[in-house]
Amino acid sequence: VTTFWCELAWLGGHTAAANVAIEVAGDRITAVTADSPCPADAVRLSGLTLPGMANAHSHAFHRALRGRTHGGTGSFWTWRDQMYAVADRLDPDTYHDLARATFAEMALAGFTVVGEFHYLHHGPGGARYADPNAIGEALLAAAAEAGIRITLLDTCYLHGGFDDELNHTQRRFSDGDVEAWGERVAMMTGSSTAKIGAAVHSVRAVDPTSITAMADWATKRDVPLHAHVSEQPTENEQSLAAYGRTPTGLLHDCGALTDRFTAVHATHLSDDDVVAMRSNRVTCCICPTTERDLADGIGPTAAWRESGIAMCLGSDSQAVIDPFEEARGIELDERLTSLRRGTHQPGELLTAATSTGYRSLGWSDGGHLQIGALADLTSVALTSPRLAGTDAAQAVSAVVFGAAAADVHHVVVGGRVVVAGGVHQTVDVAAELDRSIWRMWS
Ligand SMILES: [Zn+2]
């Protein structure tokens, strides 16, 4: 049994508890005691300790684009061409190294679980690797080595658009049909720190018959199902033209909208879409830093909150990897559109960043500091120039609105210390990022 003693810990609500002893046996929390003196043999965690944070939507390889696309002009669609240029160059080996460094950056930023929305399955031109899951297995290995939990959301991608052929890059994404996708995914297995889930890339890339089959597949196996939904108005227009349904309406017709379903982005929703999401207890995953970068728009988070639609968050394109920037982005973007402050309270934003994200990724026993939960912890220092002077009574809002990824000093995943003193314990993160990214561009 290891005891972590926290100067302050967020146990839910809008304030932090003081002097909290968290006992851990194996990968579980076995006791949580507030107002406890620090035991002599405890690991002392200064600042504010949170449950581990969930990055519910990630494409690891997009990390290679950071700083190379963000200063440009154009739209989501011109950015996508640049992203495909990187996808064209990856193989299982280079992707492993890039993902290992990227997942380690996530751990360093306080993320303890990642939902990897993985669609780059095959070799150039769609050629099969000897192991058809060579890249998926490389991602699972990368997460294990970086010390972060993963839900590999193996993504089905069959069409280049509503009536487009697959282009050269997209042939790497496609299994040909949904049966072949399901057979390939069934060959992978999880572990105590890895789960295999499913994702519909979008209603652009998967036809309704195949979406219906995927919804059945996910239900039979009791795994999470995610999809990109209405990130761009163009997708809505094309979906209406092709099927007479919005993307949400189409997913609903296919039986995909359930409490295991997460709609990623869900930026441009009709009132009927919001009703369908609410009545089927869907989770929405918002990715504020990516949605800003790609000029997607601002999602209707006030309507979700009012309807009781649960929210989680993701770093998606890795424009930045910072759970605090994503969490406050939900509220700060809402202020810009509503001209009103305080729609989303700090405790609610932390719930989005922790337990809702865990649940969306199939880890409903994570994201809480409570007995029986996964022993995943993220500690944030309150002594940096950003947070010095914080009032302990307001530490939760100070961290949500003022912290940066660099303030995370200690990260525990399944009882194992992954980051200590702001240093990743097994990966030289900056050096590995530098090496793996330059390999993509040289
Ligand atoms: Zn995405």
Side-chain angles (χ1 to χ4, degrees):
V1 174
T2 306
T3 303
F4 295 92
W5 184 85
C6 314
E7 210 170 32
L8 295 168
W10 181 66
L11 306 178
H14 300 303
T15 55
N19 307 328
V20 179
I22 299 175
E23 283 177 30
V24 171
D27 67 351
R28 299 278 159 175
I29 294 172
T30 51
V32 178
T33 314
D35 300 318
S36 161
C38 183
D41 58 350
V43 178
R44 195 176 190 285
L45 300 176
S46 60
L48 175 65
T49 295
L50 307 169
M53 303 175 96
N55 186 358
H57 188 68
S58 155
H59 309 284
F61 76 88
H62 294 189
R63 177 63 181 83
L65 297 165
R66 189 184 300 169
R68 287 175 163 85
T69 58
H70 304 96
T73 56
S75 66
F76 170 89
W77 307 100
T78 54
W79 169 85
R80 195 179 74 159
D81 292 339
Q82 298 172 299
M83 184 266 281
Y84 280 4
V86 173
D88 273 336
R89 308 188 69 157
L90 287 160
D91 63 35
D93 186 39
T94 53
Y95 201 173
H96 167 269
D97 292 356
L98 178 58
R100 171 182 147 106
T102 303
F103 293 151
E105 184 188 353
M106 290 178 193
L108 210 47
F111 285 123
T112 47
V113 62
V114 58
E116 180 64 20
F117 198 105
H118 165 54
Y119 53 83
L120 185 73
H121 303 302
H122 305 298
R128 301 305 193 247
Y129 292 113
D131 173 358
N133 285 309
I135 297 185
E137 297 288 358
L139 290 166
L140 293 172
E145 289 159 24
I148 190 171
R149 281 180 209 284
I150 186 170
T151 298
L152 189 72
L153 298 160
D154 195 295
T155 305
C156 186
Y157 195 114
L158 302 174
H159 310 290
F162 287 93
D163 33 45
D164 293 343
E165 294 287 301
L166 295 164
N167 68 25
H168 177 77
T169 307
Q170 291 163 343
R171 280 200 277 275
R172 299 193 67 175
F173 309 163
S174 175
D175 292 293
D177 58 47
V178 72
E179 289 77 23
W181 166 84
E183 283 164 21
R184 181 181 54 69
V185 181
M187 292 163 66
M188 282 187 289
T189 50
S191 70
S192 63
T193 56
K195 290 185 190 290
I196 311 297
V200 173
H201 180 277
S202 56
V203 298
R204 287 177 277 127
V206 188
D207 55 89
T209 308
S210 302
I211 294 172
T212 304
M214 291 185 69
D216 290 345
W217 193 96
T219 303
K220 276 197 196 97
R221 284 165 181 74
D222 192 24
V223 297
L225 179 67
H226 286 216
H228 290 129
V229 179
S230 296
E231 180 175 7
Q232 289 284 325
T234 307
E235 179 180 283
N236 288 2
E237 290 155 18
Q238 292 177 342
S239 179
L240 283 164
Y243 302 116
R245 292 274 186 282
T246 62
T248 300
L250 190 66
L251 288 158
H252 188 28
D253 290 352
C254 295
L257 301 191
T258 68
D259 59 1
R260 75 179 63 256
F261 183 77
T262 296
V264 179
H265 303 299
T267 311
H268 302 281
L269 298 186
S270 68
D271 292 346
D272 286 348
D273 291 342
V274 173
V275 170
M277 299 276 191
R278 179 193 59 204
S279 51
N280 292 286
R281 295 168 46 224
V282 161
T283 301
C284 287
C285 180
I286 187 163
C287 309
T289 66
T290 294
E291 289 153 11
R292 285 175 201 168
D293 178 52
L294 296 180
D296 287 341
I298 300 174
T301 61
W304 298 346
R305 184 183 181 281
E306 203 170 306
S307 308
I309 294 174
M311 260 181 285
C312 57
L313 51 83
S315 68
D316 190 7
S317 69
Q318 330 297 0
V320 299
I321 292 176
D322 185 330
F324 310 104
E325 187 61 29
E326 303 295 347
R328 63 180 163 258
I330 296 171
E331 163 63 14
L332 296 179
D333 290 350
E334 177 58 28
R335 291 184 188 185
L336 289 175
T337 52
S338 68
L339 311 182
R340 204 176 50 238
R341 306 175 79 228
T343 298
H344 303 285
Q345 295 299 305
E348 296 166 10
L349 297 170
L350 283 183
T351 298
T354 56
S355 55
T356 307
Y358 267 78
R359 197 186 66 219
S360 158
L361 296 174
W363 304 88
S364 34
D365 47 355
H368 304 275
L369 299 180
Q370 64 188 35
I371 294 170
L374 293 167
D376 298 357
L377 317 175
T378 294
S379 295
V380 186
L382 301 177
T383 48
S384 74
R386 287 168 293 281
L387 292 169
T390 291
D391 172 1
Q394 300 200 39
V396 170
S397 54
V399 163
V400 168
F401 288 102
D407 295 319
V408 169
H409 67 88
H410 223 86
V411 176
V412 175
V413 178
R416 179 180 154 224
V417 175
V418 176
V419 173
V423 177
H424 197 288
Q425 298 300 284
T426 55
V427 178
D428 183 342
V429 181
E432 291 203 16
L433 282 168
D434 189 61
R435 200 160 51 234
S436 59
I437 291 169
W438 276 111
R439 220 166 133 195
M440 300 311 309
W441 293 105
S442 52

